[in-house]
Amino acid sequence: MESQELHHHFVLIPLMVPSHLLPMVDIAKLLARRKNVTVTLLTTPINADRIRATIDTEILQSGSSLQIQLFQFPNSESGVPEGCESFDALPSTDLLQNFFKALSLLQDPLEEAFEKLRPIPTCIISDKSIPSAADIAKKFQVPRLIFDGTSCFNLLSTHCLRSSKVYENVSDSESFIVPGLPNKISFRKSQLPSSLISSSTRQLGISGFYEKVREAEEEAYGVIVNSFEELEEEYVKEYKRVTGRKVWCIGPVSLSTKDDIDEAQRRTTDSNEEEEEGQYLKWLDSWPARSVIYVCLGSLSRVAPEQLMELGLGLEASKRPFILVLRGAYKRDEMEKLLKEDGLEERVKERGLIIRGWVPQVLILSHTAIGSFLTHCGWNSTLEGISNGVPLITFPMFSEQFYNEKVIVEVLQTGVKVGAEKHMHIWGEDKDGEVQVKKEKVKEAIEKVMSEDDEESKRIRERAKEYAEKANKTMQKEGSSTLNISLLIEDLAHFMRMKMNPGVKPHTNA
């Protein structure tokens, strides 16, 4: 039950990258729709421009007490070029260390902005990769929640791997079982995030930053997770048990969008592509239900042009309609040259769209024509596919994406692997022209989820439909994620009462 006596002012500090910024905006909207709640998003000018239309629409439609407060990104101090205030805007991966340095220099600009906020903030929700928020929370004596941007499966797996260090005594190609998980899950060392492997972070010169992130994580009041309990109930319970942390699953937060206009405004580029978006949806209208393959490998893809061509050739061989989104493809000029030389785009023009720019992904995934989603397994994309009942074809590349593949293929059994076996480093050069997955594997994976004759394909599609129903139910009035937001607000109200009256007993998060 929500507190009617106390007013809450949540300050949200998102990481400057679209995959973290957009879900934090959705969280802001969900919180601001509650009674007696004010929400401030604290971000930089360029990132504010990316989300302003969405915020303005939310205020107009819901009357939410929602605002943006700016702080200056430390470009000159960190050596990040002016105009670059987001990871995806970096002109070169050589500037990665500079970007992490900028993140380490955020305390002063954040603190200056924080002091201006009214009403006085009562809680900070910060991305876990902004450790400066921990010092601000201490100084102003407010509880701080971290937003991890991943799943409880990832949180528990990371905890178990850090505790056991079972991966330290195996080769890169050797499989091992992760101890302490509800399911029997195995990985190869080459599939683990670089943030977990100390030698990788030392080589990149960012091990000190990750150490600060872990320290700040340990000190947090609790964790907000963009997931829902029905998706990974055993992992939520076990993560709470082994860490003793307060955990609130409040997702899928992308379901906070109310209509097509709201979704279209989630664009994080400065492009003017409304007309093209309408054309994509009109093109989808021309195809039968569950017939189109949607392929998007995220905004930070490092897939070699040769590998992208294999994906395209596999799509061609499937003889099914498809959308292939290149976005800011790695080595774009080389990619365009390969496309032209091979003639792929011309050959498939009657049934294939190759899109270079941004697309309204949730609108596309919700279209009845979509039959499968070949994804890099970013958690946002994974949840968007699950929420729309779309079977997934998994092509993980970096970060926790191999963890998410395990959720999809082995825990939920709502998709199949395309065959990627090791990281493609987001910040470095993989072997030029490296191809992990050939066109034959792409075609095979597509058939495994879209075949009308195969019984396992039918079961995958049915399970995908069931989880979509659960996802949408959890965000409804009596759903578990909606309830968890209420429980979060009540917990913080209890915390405030404890500050005013030390005799009040602590609140638990069972």
Side-chain angles (χ1 to χ4, degrees):
M1 183 175 178
E2 293 182 33
S3 168
Q4 298 298 311
E5 303 85 26
L6 299 173
H7 190 95
H8 300 271
H9 182 186
F10 290 90
V11 178
L12 275 58
I13 311 175
L15 183 65
M16 302 80 171
V17 62
S19 59
H20 291 239
L21 176 65
L22 291 178
M24 282 284 260
V25 171
D26 290 334
I27 291 170
K29 292 191 294 186
L30 290 169
L31 289 170
R33 290 171 190 170
R34 298 305 183 100
K35 293 180 181 179
N36 300 317
V37 171
T38 296
V39 178
T40 298
L41 276 156
L42 210 53
T43 190
T44 67
I46 292 176
N47 284 288
D49 289 342
R50 290 176 154 189
I51 62 175
R52 199 174 300 279
T54 298
I55 298 300
D56 290 345
T57 299
E58 173 66 19
I59 294 170
L60 181 65
Q61 292 183 341
S62 302
S64 301
S65 183
L66 185 57
Q67 60 188 358
I68 298 173
Q69 177 68 42
L70 302 180
F71 67 89
Q72 293 302 312
F73 192 80
N75 293 93
S76 59
E77 300 93 327
S78 62
V80 175
E82 292 294 330
C84 295
E85 297 177 3
S86 180
F87 189 92
D88 62 309
L90 293 176
S92 168
T93 54
D94 294 338
L95 292 166
L96 181 74
Q97 290 187 33
N98 302 71
F99 190 81
F100 278 97
K101 182 180 179 181
L103 294 180
S104 300
L105 296 172
L106 290 181
Q107 183 170 346
D108 287 344
L110 283 173
E111 190 173 312
E112 182 180 348
F114 195 88
E115 289 175 333
K116 299 175 183 176
L117 297 176
R118 295 294 182 273
I120 296 173
T122 57
C123 178
I124 294 173
I125 302 177
S126 65
D127 193 285
K128 78 167 190 176
S129 295
I130 303 182
S132 302
D135 295 323
I136 294 171
K138 289 176 188 175
K139 178 173 180 177
F140 292 94
Q141 298 182 5
V142 294
R144 176 182 57 93
L145 307 174
I146 58 170
F147 171 64
D148 186 83
T150 63
S151 64
C152 281
F153 179 96
N154 169 63
L155 292 171
L156 180 61
S157 297
T158 300
H159 173 84
C160 292
L161 288 169
R162 282 179 181 164
S163 301
S164 67
K165 299 191 183 302
V166 64
Y167 56 87
E168 290 188 347
N169 299 316
V170 299
S171 65
D172 283 353
S173 59
E174 186 178 352
S175 294
F176 61 90
I177 304 295
V178 181
L181 298 185
N183 299 81
K184 186 177 180 181
I185 302 291
S186 65
F187 286 100
R188 291 191 177 99
K189 190 173 181 177
S190 61
Q191 297 173 328
L192 299 181
S194 297
S195 59
L196 188 69
I197 311 298
S198 58
S199 59
S200 297
T201 55
R202 281 197 301 270
Q203 184 179 358
L204 293 165
I206 56 176
S207 56
F209 176 83
Y210 277 114
E211 187 57 40
K212 289 180 181 178
V213 167
R214 284 192 284 272
E215 290 173 2
E217 191 175 357
E218 293 294 329
E219 297 171 358
Y221 182 79
V223 183
I224 286 182
V225 182
N226 182 17
S227 184
F228 56 103
E229 293 176 354
E230 294 84 352
L231 184 74
E232 46 174 353
E233 184 175 9
E234 291 179 301
Y235 289 87
V236 177
K237 289 180 178 178
E238 186 63 11
Y239 182 67
K240 287 182 179 180
R241 187 189 71 81
V242 299
T243 64
R245 290 177 178 165
K246 293 174 181 284
V247 178
W248 292 276
C249 293
I250 65 168
V253 298
S254 62
L255 294 178
S256 67
T257 56
K258 291 187 172 184
D259 52 36
D260 290 357
I261 294 175
D262 194 12
E263 170 53 32
Q265 288 174 337
R266 289 166 64 85
R267 177 189 301 108
T268 58
T269 69
D270 297 324
S271 58
N272 184 19
E273 297 173 332
E274 291 89 343
E275 185 176 343
E276 290 183 6
E277 292 160 20
Q279 291 175 357
Y280 305 153
L281 298 177
K282 185 178 180 180
W283 183 86
L284 283 169
D285 289 340
S286 68
W287 294 101
R290 298 181 300 279
S291 65
V292 178
I293 309 151
Y294 172 63
V295 183
C296 183
L297 299 179
S299 58
L300 299 176
S301 171
R302 298 287 293 174
V303 177
E306 292 83 356
Q307 177 63 84
L308 279 175
M309 278 301 303
E310 286 295 319
L311 286 178
L313 293 171
L315 291 166
E316 180 185 22
S318 75
K319 300 188 183 305
R320 298 177 184 271
F322 67 87
I323 295 175
L324 171 59
V325 181
L326 297 180
R327 285 189 178 171
Y330 174 54
K331 295 187 177 180
R332 181 63 171 271
D333 291 343
E334 292 183 25
M335 182 69 224
E336 294 294 343
K337 182 180 177 182
L338 287 176
L339 278 172
K340 184 176 181 180
E341 290 176 349
D342 182 83
L344 172 66
E345 194 165 12
E346 177 65 23
R347 292 197 305 273
V348 301
K349 65 181 180 180
E350 298 301 324
R351 62 177 174 88
L353 284 183
I354 298 179
I355 301 173
R356 273 79 172 172
W358 184 91
V359 296
Q361 180 160 290
V362 174
L363 287 183
I364 288 175
L365 288 172
S366 65
H367 198 285
T368 56
I370 298 297
S372 64
F373 177 17
L374 198 161
T375 173
H376 65 305
C377 302
W379 187 240
N380 293 331
S381 290
T382 297
L383 275 181
E384 288 163 5
I386 290 170
S387 300
N388 287 286
V390 180
L392 303 175
I393 302 169
T394 62
F395 192 154
M397 292 184 285
F398 53 82
S399 191
E400 90 293 349
Q401 292 168 10
F402 282 92
Y403 293 175
N404 299 339
E405 179 180 68
K406 295 291 183 180
V407 174
I408 295 162
V409 177
E410 298 184 26
V411 179
L412 306 179
Q413 299 178 33
T414 58
V416 300
K417 299 195 295 184
V418 79
E421 294 293 343
K422 68 176 185 176
H423 268 66
M424 297 178 185
H425 297 298
I426 189 172
W427 40 72
E429 298 286 343
D430 284 309
K431 184 178 178 182
D432 284 344
E434 183 174 19
V435 174
Q436 289 195 52
V437 181
K438 301 291 285 185
K439 63 182 180 182
E440 293 81 8
K441 290 291 185 181
V442 176
K443 179 185 176 183
E444 180 182 334
I446 290 168
E447 288 305 311
K448 283 182 179 179
V449 297
M450 297 189 71
S451 172
E452 293 295 334
D453 302 321
D454 184 73
E455 289 302 316
E456 180 55 27
S457 296
K458 294 177 183 178
R459 284 191 288 270
I460 288 173
R461 293 194 295 273
E462 185 59 35
R463 284 190 291 266
K465 181 180 177 182
E466 290 171 0
Y467 276 106
E469 292 171 353
K470 292 178 181 179
N472 284 272
K473 184 178 179 180
T474 197
M475 297 297 287
Q476 295 172 6
K477 187 174 181 180
E478 303 299 326
S480 62
S481 291
T482 301
L483 174 61
N484 280 336
I485 293 177
S486 298
L487 293 173
L488 165 63
I489 292 172
E490 180 55 39
D491 187 287
L492 292 169
H494 192 83
F495 178 87
M496 291 167 68
R497 294 190 193 100
M498 284 180 60
K499 285 182 67 176
M500 294 183 287
N501 182 3
V504 176
K505 293 182 180 180
H507 213 275
T508 60
N509 177 235

